[in-house]
């Protein structure tokens, strides 16, 4: 039976792992550093943050597996997009990564982020809600709740779990 530590206390991230790893004997959540900026601004930086969280989680949690999930944004010629990455590491040295859905952010949100703001507080102000990042996320707001943050991260965790099962046979 697996023991897993999620490198975050964020509700959407922790619940996504719980929804996928039903056979796990224990799932812990710890607040660990991503070692990247508060607002990751590229695929590379967001992926690096997910990997760092996975390693820190496994080491700090003393578990079989560490999972790191990180949200960020990526600049493209057509605008600024949400990006999301996940990483899974285990005590044997195995590691794998996966990415999730992308949507273009409205210009007014992109402008705030380009000026140094972090997406979480910007979304709280935009949506006139508290803790958007822990609940529906920007993806939930801008998809009219067709996809929420937990579902988006669940998809990434499924990609990680599937790769883990395939390669660890």
């Amino acid at each position: 039976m697996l023991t897993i530590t999620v490198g975050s206390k964020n509700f959407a991230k922790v619940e996504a792992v719980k929804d996928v790893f039903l056979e796990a004997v224990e799932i812990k959540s710890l607040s660990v550093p991503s070692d990247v900026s508060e607002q990751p601004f590229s695929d590379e930086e967001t992926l690096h943050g997910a990997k760092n969280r996975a390693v820190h989680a496994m080491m700090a949690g003393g578990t079989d597996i560490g999972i790191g999930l990180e949200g960020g944004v990526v600049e493209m010629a057509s605008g600024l997009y949400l990006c999301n990455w996940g990483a899974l590491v285990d005590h044997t040295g195995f590691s794998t990564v996966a990415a999730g859905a992308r949507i273009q952010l409205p210009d007014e949100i992109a402008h705030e982020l380009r000026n140094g703001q972090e997406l979480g507080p910007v979304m709280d102000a935009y949506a006139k809600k508290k803790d958007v990042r822990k609940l529906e996320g920007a993806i939930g707001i801008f998809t009219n709740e067709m996809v929420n943050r937990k579902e988006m991260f669940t998809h990434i965790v499924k990609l990680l779990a599937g790769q883990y099962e395939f390669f660890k046979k």
Side-chain angles (χ1 to χ4, degrees):
M1 293 299 251
L2 295 173
T3 59
I4 299 170
T5 302
V6 183
S8 177
K9 292 281 196 180
N10 182 284
F11 175 82
K13 295 176 181 183
V14 174
E15 290 302 309
V17 173
K18 287 180 179 177
D19 282 356
V20 175
F21 285 94
L22 300 173
E23 79 285 356
V25 79
E26 178 184 24
I27 298 177
K28 299 183 201 179
S29 62
L30 295 175
S31 183
V32 299
S34 66
D35 299 326
V36 298
S37 60
E38 287 293 316
Q39 180 57 69
F41 228 86
S42 68
D43 275 322
E44 291 81 12
E45 185 179 15
T46 309
L47 173 57
H48 192 65
K51 289 178 175 179
N52 289 341
R53 285 186 190 277
V55 170
H56 289 314
M58 184 186 65
M59 300 301 284
T63 52
D64 299 318
I65 292 175
I67 295 178
L69 299 166
E70 190 78 11
V73 295
V74 62
E75 190 77 65
M76 298 178 70
S78 57
L80 194 64
Y81 289 77
L82 290 177
C83 71
N84 300 275
W85 283 90
L88 180 152
V89 299
D90 79 3
H91 64 282
T92 70
F94 175 84
S95 67
T96 192
V97 298
R102 293 176 185 248
I103 61 168
Q104 187 173 6
L105 292 168
D107 288 340
E108 64 190 279
I109 302 297
H111 176 76
E112 295 293 324
L113 299 182
R114 290 182 185 117
N115 285 326
Q117 299 296 312
E118 188 182 348
L119 183 59
V122 169
M123 287 307 303
D124 285 354
Y126 179 86
K128 296 176 179 54
K129 294 182 171 187
K130 187 176 182 214
D131 292 328
V132 169
R133 78 172 80 196
K134 293 179 182 175
L135 302 171
E136 65 269 73
I139 197 145
I141 298 293
F142 296 130
T143 64
N144 202 33
E145 293 280 339
M146 296 290 272
V147 177
N148 64 40
R149 194 163 197 236
K150 178 182 162 248
E151 291 169 324
M152 182 193 58
F153 278 124
T154 298
H155 178 80
I156 294 170
V157 175
K158 284 180 178 181
L159 295 171
L160 296 172
Q163 291 177 86
Y164 182 75
E165 290 174 10
F166 179 81
F167 290 110
K168 293 300 279 192
K169 286 183 196 175

